[in-house]
Amino acid sequence: MTYAGSGVDYDKLDAFKVACQRAAATTVSLLGKHGVKEADGTRGESAYLLETPTGYLAHVEEGLGTKNLVADAVDDPQAYFNVGIDTVATIVNDLITVGALPISIAMHAAVGDSNWFNDEPRAKALADGFAEGCRRSGAVWGGGETPALAGIVEPNAIVLAGSAVGQMDKAHRVAGDIRAGDRIVFLASTGVQTNGLTLCRQLADRLPDGYASTLGDGRTYGEGLLAPSAIYADFVGKLREADVTPKYLVHVTGHGWRKLMRLDAPFTYRIDTPGEPGALFEFLMDNGPISAEEAWATFNMGVGFAAYVRPDEVEQTVAAAEACGHRAWDAGEVCDGEKAVEVPSLGLRYAAESLNLR
């Protein structure tokens, strides 16, 4: 099984993203009258940065994807509490990659029919979960939009997305000034989090017991998929307290571990200690079957976030993550060479042309 075969072809999606970046760049001159300017190098990153006289404002828009369809399939309204957390997580984990901490988060919940909200336990679980995600992010839930889009969205479905605004002073910007010898610290994920669910759902349709299938750790497949995503804003805040400004931060989501080479720089990112993916990912690979090359190019494989730091800051970085309850470890190194991600112990290498985001 492959992600492209499930209907999600990043080559086509990314081509449109690049076209949008080029069109968007033609509007930059409009910022002049607002007393701000576009931060150098912000195009193509996970969050957009505006430079002000005293610091930066960050903005991001993100969507949950199709994880809520798993909640629908397991027929547990309370699963939407986790879905609410997930929606915030996918937004905030992109925002913090530039070093900003979120201030305000907004929800966009589009339904095919307003009757979706008649299921009060489900609607309440979603609202409560979104509020909990905001608390975990240290940000206010500032507002949102709930359009009914008959003819565009399926009558029984909801499309979840949102946006966030964050800020930081100039000393805390994560600018991507990496160099050979820098270390790559991994923070563990809680599972698939919010990426690759279309492929996961396709697999459920093939399983005799569907989402009730048992994982190696005793959970059902549905329970494993619906585990709430980790939110790493507390980690970035703890790095500030420790006076550690990472060279680069990556939310390991779409494009899997290929995202480790998102920065437009000619380096090889060598991962010597990849860690163990866990029972859920082993189940996906065994039952798809999904090849190792496809799995690590699509899923986070047990890694939700990565921080690139100086070698002398690895210990502080791991400690900051663990102080927030995130498992973390020194995973690899930035090396001179062709742009690529290499995982020698797994026999994997992803070349630069496998990731086209700029």
Side-chain angles (χ1 to χ4, degrees):
M1 298 180 69
T2 66
Y3 207 23
S6 72
V8 183
D9 188 337
Y10 272 126
D11 287 341
K12 295 175 182 177
L13 294 171
D14 293 344
F16 180 66
K17 293 177 184 178
V18 172
C20 288
Q21 289 178 45
R22 291 171 180 166
T26 66
T27 68
V28 172
S29 61
L30 300 174
L31 289 174
K33 62 183 179 181
H34 299 292
V36 298
K37 64 179 182 178
E38 181 176 286
D40 293 339
T42 191
R43 296 282 176 186
E45 292 301 315
S46 294
Y48 181 67
L49 275 182
L50 290 171
E51 185 175 354
T52 72
T54 57
Y56 295 96
L57 294 174
H59 177 255
V60 69
E61 167 86 11
E62 256 299 336
L64 173 70
T66 65
K67 190 169 184 176
N68 55 294
L69 293 180
V70 179
D72 292 337
V74 302
D75 196 25
D76 177 9
Q78 292 307 307
Y80 267 84
F81 182 83
N82 289 355
V83 168
I85 295 173
D86 290 322
T87 306
V88 175
T90 196
I91 300 164
V92 168
N93 288 340
D94 269 6
L95 183 80
I96 60 176
T97 59
V98 294
L101 292 178
I103 302 171
S104 175
I105 301 170
M107 173 197 278
H108 190 275
V111 294
D113 190 307
S114 56
N115 286 329
W116 192 94
F117 298 105
N118 286 345
D119 186 334
E120 294 182 6
R122 178 176 63 181
K124 184 178 185 303
L126 174 59
D128 289 346
F130 198 91
E132 175 61 20
C134 291
R135 283 189 288 270
R136 295 184 186 186
S137 303
V140 66
W141 180 356
E145 169 72 347
T146 53
L149 304 177
I152 296 178
V153 179
E154 293 289 335
N156 296 321
I158 187 169
V159 179
L160 291 165
S163 62
V165 174
Q167 68 177 357
M168 61 185 160
D169 59 34
K170 294 191 175 181
H172 291 121
R173 180 185 176 185
V174 175
D177 56 341
I178 62 173
R179 62 183 60 186
D182 286 338
R183 302 298 300 176
I184 303 171
V185 174
F186 277 171
L187 278 69
S189 71
T190 59
V192 295
Q193 302 204 145
T194 59
N195 188 66
L197 270 297
T198 301
L199 183 56
C200 296
R201 291 188 298 107
Q202 189 177 81
L203 174 58
D205 292 338
R206 298 185 180 190
L207 298 170
D209 295 324
Y211 292 109
S213 303
T214 304
L215 303 179
D217 58 10
R219 295 179 298 169
T220 66
Y221 182 43
E223 288 171 338
L225 293 178
L226 288 168
S229 302
I231 296 175
Y232 303 99
D234 51 1
F235 164 67
V236 174
K238 189 65 70 173
L239 287 180
R240 283 191 186 183
E241 293 177 12
D243 200 27
V244 173
T245 299
K247 300 290 195 73
Y248 199 54
L249 295 170
V250 173
H251 180 198
V252 185
T253 175
H255 306 86
W257 285 24
R258 292 176 293 165
K259 190 64 77 62
L260 297 173
M261 58 176 168
R262 179 171 195 151
L263 192 64
D264 190 17
F267 292 106
T268 297
Y269 305 90
R270 190 184 70 223
I271 306 302
D272 296 314
T273 310
E276 296 296 326
L280 175 59
F281 293 110
E282 291 171 357
F283 181 89
L284 287 167
M285 293 178 67
D286 291 344
N287 288 277
I290 300 172
S291 70
E293 183 177 9
E294 178 71 19
W296 268 269
T298 299
F299 299 107
N300 67 57
M301 301 306 288
V303 178
F305 208 70
Y308 300 61
V309 298
R310 299 197 317 256
D312 63 329
E313 292 181 328
V314 169
E315 186 175 341
Q316 288 175 286
T317 303
V318 171
E322 292 179 342
C324 300
H326 304 294
R327 184 168 59 87
W329 65 97
D330 183 2
E333 184 176 9
V334 177
C335 306
D336 284 323
E338 294 182 356
K339 184 177 179 180
V341 175
E342 295 181 349
V343 192
S345 64
L346 300 176
L348 298 176
R349 185 179 190 276
Y350 299 103
E353 55 266 25
S354 69
L355 185 74
N356 298 298
L357 294 176
R358 301 174 189 271

